[in-house]
Amino acid sequence: IEHILTDLIFMDRGRIVLQCTMDEYESRYAELQVKPENLAAAQALRPMQERQILGRTTLIFDGVDRTRLSQLGDVRTPGIADLFVAIVGNGHSAKGATS
């Protein structure tokens, strides 16, 4: 469904916590499957979320340069559901969110 969306809005308890276009979403957020030897360097970049998947650490970042992240592992755009959990599930308030 992501390919037909034009905008993305997340709400938490009746409050908008993220509002952006899909272009902004794709350029702003990155998911990194970090190589084990680069975990400390990736954590120093302050990810929004960190989780273990099949023995590998996956981190989600907001506004971190993808070129910089690609030096630490495999980079892609996070799925909408994963970003929702990173923002709402962890109690993060996304930068640029409206009140």
Side-chain angles (χ1 to χ4, degrees):
I1 192 168
E2 293 177 22
H3 66 280
I4 62 172
L5 297 176
T6 59
D7 293 276
L8 188 60
I9 297 175
F10 292 164
M11 295 184 72
D12 183 21
R13 298 180 194 115
R15 188 177 67 104
I16 295 173
V17 295
L18 174 71
Q19 183 174 4
C20 65
T21 67
M22 289 302 290
D23 288 338
E24 290 172 300
Y25 154 74
E26 291 171 0
S27 64
R28 178 176 166 183
Y29 297 100
E31 181 177 270
L32 170 68
Q33 278 198 339
V34 67
K35 296 175 183 171
E37 63 272 16
N38 296 330
L39 181 58
Q43 289 169 328
L45 298 173
R46 302 182 53 182
M48 299 172 58
Q49 182 188 54
E50 179 177 330
R51 66 186 190 278
Q52 295 290 318
I53 299 175
L54 301 173
R56 290 197 70 185
T57 303
T58 300
L59 304 108
I60 295 180
F61 293 90
D62 179 0
V64 177
D65 181 61
R66 285 175 181 255
T67 303
R68 187 173 185 186
L69 292 175
S70 67
Q71 297 169 1
L72 303 173
D74 299 321
V75 180
R76 64 177 176 224
T77 301
I80 290 174
D82 292 329
L83 182 61
F84 180 84
V85 170
I87 291 173
V88 176
N90 288 342
H92 282 90
S93 180
K95 294 182 227 169
T98 59
S99 304

